[in-house]
Amino acid sequence: MADTKREIERKFEFSKAKSARRGVPDLTGTAAIAAVSDQGTVDLDAVYYDTPDQRLAADGLTLRRRTGGADEGWHLKLPVSPGVRDEVAAPLGDTVPRPLAALLRSRVRDSELEPQVRLLSSRKVSHLLDADGALLAELSTDQVRAERGDAAAAWTEVEVELADGIDPALLDAVEAAFRKAGLKVSDAPSKLARALAETGTAPPAKPAATPADGTAGAHVLAYLREQRDALIAQDPAVRRNLPDSVHQMRVASRRMRSAFKTHRKVLDRSVTDPVGEELRWLAGELGVDRDQEVLLERIRTHLDELPRILQPGPVRARLRVWNTARSSGSRRRALAALDSPRYLALLDSLDALLAEPPLLKHAADPAGEVLPKAVLHDYDRLAGRIGTALALEPGHERDLALHEARKAAKRARYAAEAAVPALGKPAERLAKAVKKVQSLLGDHQDSVVAREALRAIGAQAAGGGESAFVWGVLYAREEALAEQRERELPGVWAAASKPKLRAPLG
């Protein structure tokens, strides 16, 4: 089994040889630090693994096998935000543990993990304590030697890692005290990054987030790279069952698929359509669990709002039985998709597409000329579907039409959001307006789905000899909510379809 802990730390280095000779200052009296307790010195021997082309290092991940110290074993560190990483640990062994290998699958794929660099550290450890003797942080001073083939490098590094639940403001106070003593925040995000740089083996740089040439093709490709990277980054989060990870991974896949359709004048759809279909497959495999989770939460919320007198019989038990039956195997299905050859082939096809993009003639035109037309085309598509839906009488056909309008709203929103780096505020304002339409239509569709579920639960309850009254009440409530959203739609659409929102793009 693998254990996970959240690391919140800051790394420092001496700015001058004189300050290095003086050493680390006494932090007693800094913020809440009442005492500094010496914990002795330990020798650490860590071998860092990566693919031959350093994919992990390029994305800020580190995988090491370390001996020495209380936590010897395998450690995988995943970036969360600057100065914050999740460390997933597994017992010491000769090969990469399977749980850690699974978390790296979206990056490593069919490549091999090989030893890249060895770090030998002599670590002096101190505990920073508050007035009650409770641990605030661990202070480590490391004498580091990096070895990679015939190359070697050595340096001194100081690290302060917060204990669980401690306010990160303590790090700011420590940094201020260190600055006065001649220490600065390290330029390298990790020991591995510094070791690679100082032994002449730094990982390849990522493409710039902002396109340099201002063409439509450059902007579209930059957006697609961003979504590809988000999809890959969410893979280990989904495997760890982190909150909102499935949703974020689905969003990245949907945004890419939508961009392929929106920018058909920039990218050849004969190439992108098959990739888009694979993205649709992935979103569908991931969505079973997520959709059920959202539906259950909606029903629970509305149930909680009803008086107990309207809930005769084993209502909660019936809801649990229904949810268990629908949820069974959904997470296994999502993980099976992520472990499948089909998924790896999809990731490879995305990389290949971005490496040799199927650009069309208009890709070379200025983004300011091409992107507005693409955004307005998707807006016009949305307008047509809204008009079709509003012309229908309330009922099943209108529900279907509103669902199609919702999908069109999502695509128009994505198109506008993707164009913001090139088009600025006009695209941003249109995106916000269309998002309101999408949200309303989304709530309407959620009501449609909830009614189907409530009808099924009511039938199950009746078949089990229970009262189906509460499920009928909730059904009627969802019906009323859907009708309310339909009444609100013309006004929301009128605001989103004001000509002044589109004029700067046209």
Side-chain angles (χ1 to χ4, degrees), residues 34 92 101 137 202 258 301 492 505:
L92 196 63
S258 182
T301 299
V492 173
L505 301 175

Side-chain angles (χ1 to χ4, degrees), residues 33 48 137 143-144 153 186 192 207 258 271 309 332 340 352 427 431 448:
I33 301 170
Y48 286 78
Q143 303 294 330
V144 185
S186 177
L192 175 63
S258 182
V271 177
I309 196 172
R332 287 195 301 272
S340 69
V448 172

Side-chain angles (χ1 to χ4, degrees), residues 215-218 220-221 224 258-270 272-273 357-367 369-378 411:
T215 63
V220 171
L221 292 175
L224 290 172
S258 182
F260 291 156
K261 295 178 179 178
T262 294
H263 299 294
R264 64 197 183 285
K265 296 292 183 66
V266 173
L267 296 171
D268 184 351
R269 286 194 60 177
S270 70
T272 61
D273 278 356
L359 297 174
L360 299 176
K361 179 179 67 174
H362 288 293
D365 294 340
E369 295 178 8
V370 176
L371 299 191
K373 295 176 182 178
V375 171
L376 292 175
H377 179 272
D378 281 351
R411 179 166 148 185

Side-chain angles (χ1 to χ4, degrees), residues 174-187:
V174 169
E175 181 181 337
F178 277 179
R179 195 182 304 118
K180 293 178 181 178
L183 286 96
K184 65 174 185 176
V185 175
S186 177
D187 294 329

Side-chain angles (χ1 to χ4, degrees), residues 46-49 62-66 71 73-75 77 87:
V47 176
Y48 286 78
Y49 286 68
T62 61
L63 174 67
R64 72 184 179 205
R65 182 187 184 274
R66 190 170 77 181
D71 65 341
W74 287 89
H75 306 122
K77 298 194 177 188
E87 181 183 275

Side-chain angles (χ1 to χ4, degrees), residues 5 20 112 173 226 330 351 372 379 390 410 424-425 434 442 503:
K5 69 173 182 177
E112 296 291 331
E226 180 183 343
S330 58
D351 287 349
Y379 167 86
L390 291 177
K410 187 177 295 185
K425 288 292 185 180
V434 172

